[in-house]
Amino acid sequence: MIAKLKGLLDETGADWAVIDVGGVGYLVHCSARTLSQLGEAGEACTVFTDLQVSENDMRLLGFADGAERDWFRLLTQVQGVGSKVALAILSALSADELQAACANGDAAMVARANGVGPKLAGRIVNELKDKAGALPGGGGTGAVAAPRGGASADAVSALENLGFKPAVAARAVALAQGELGDGAGEGELIRVALKKAAG
């Protein structure tokens, strides 16, 4: 199975991109969120992929990160959610927002996506509620350990005090620290982590 593509962005459409990998153009169906992160034509890009094969179709789906792909796979396990609906949901909501919606039973948030009515949104939330905590909210392919001690721990605590769930706060601070380096101060970490957690 094709798990990842790394190449040059050839062209994009409303819900797809063509990625040139060594002279071979792969047509990849993507969410609007992923398309917005691929960059301009001719630039290097990487997408995590999922290959769907049916009797009369073979479709490659592309995602900005592993978390979005994990949520896509979960969504398509729900009855009535095909790849188009799953991509519409991932276009409307970030992985963090989707995780929060499922964990809190917020069907109205999921119903913001095109083609998702209240009944389907309710089914998605009910079926994925128990699984929401097991998946990363965004930015990686797995859970990020809570930063240990010092400015990082204080930054995580600050985000939790602002209402973010512990796992989301820890992940955001870990991403911020990776971007800023180990010597980053608490204030700087909080500022960048807030953008990560909210994005």
Side-chain angles (χ1 to χ4, degrees):
M1 189 173 95
I2 301 168
K4 185 170 83 168
L5 293 175
K6 190 172 186 179
L8 299 176
L9 182 62
D10 200 28
E11 60 177 317
T12 58
D15 60 355
W16 54 267
V18 173
I19 298 173
D20 185 321
V21 182
V24 178
Y26 290 85
L27 176 65
V28 185
H29 297 272
C30 307
S31 70
R33 200 171 289 276
T34 291
L35 286 172
S36 71
Q37 294 179 45
L38 291 180
E40 301 294 324
E43 291 182 356
C45 65
T46 301
V47 290
F48 293 83
T49 58
D50 189 68
L51 181 64
Q52 290 199 330
V53 181
S54 64
E55 281 183 33
N56 51 12
D57 190 24
M58 187 187 292
R59 181 175 287 239
L60 195 60
L61 293 304
F63 309 94
D65 54 50
E68 188 183 31
R69 181 177 61 190
D70 290 344
W71 274 103
F72 174 84
R73 289 173 175 168
L74 258 191
L75 285 165
T76 52
Q77 289 173 16
V78 176
Q79 184 186 353
V81 180
S83 59
K84 284 187 177 179
V85 171
L87 287 179
I89 292 169
L90 291 167
S91 293
L93 302 173
S94 68
D96 277 333
E97 289 169 334
L98 186 52
Q99 184 179 41
C102 290
N104 299 325
D106 188 352
M109 195 167 182
V110 178
R112 284 169 32 191
N114 287 336
V116 180
K119 191 174 179 181
L120 181 57
R123 187 186 308 143
I124 290 167
V125 165
N126 288 335
E127 290 191 27
L128 301 185
K129 189 169 189 175
D130 294 336
K131 300 176 184 177
L135 279 182
T141 55
V144 176
R148 303 180 302 277
S152 295
D154 291 340
V156 171
S157 178
L159 262 67
E160 287 177 22
N161 291 339
L162 290 170
F164 290 99
K165 290 187 179 296
V168 174
R171 182 172 298 107
V173 171
L175 289 170
Q177 187 149 40
E179 192 175 292
L180 297 168
D182 291 337
E186 181 187 341
E188 203 173 11
L189 279 173
I190 292 170
R191 180 177 56 78
V192 174
L194 273 172
K195 290 180 185 172
K196 303 281 185 192

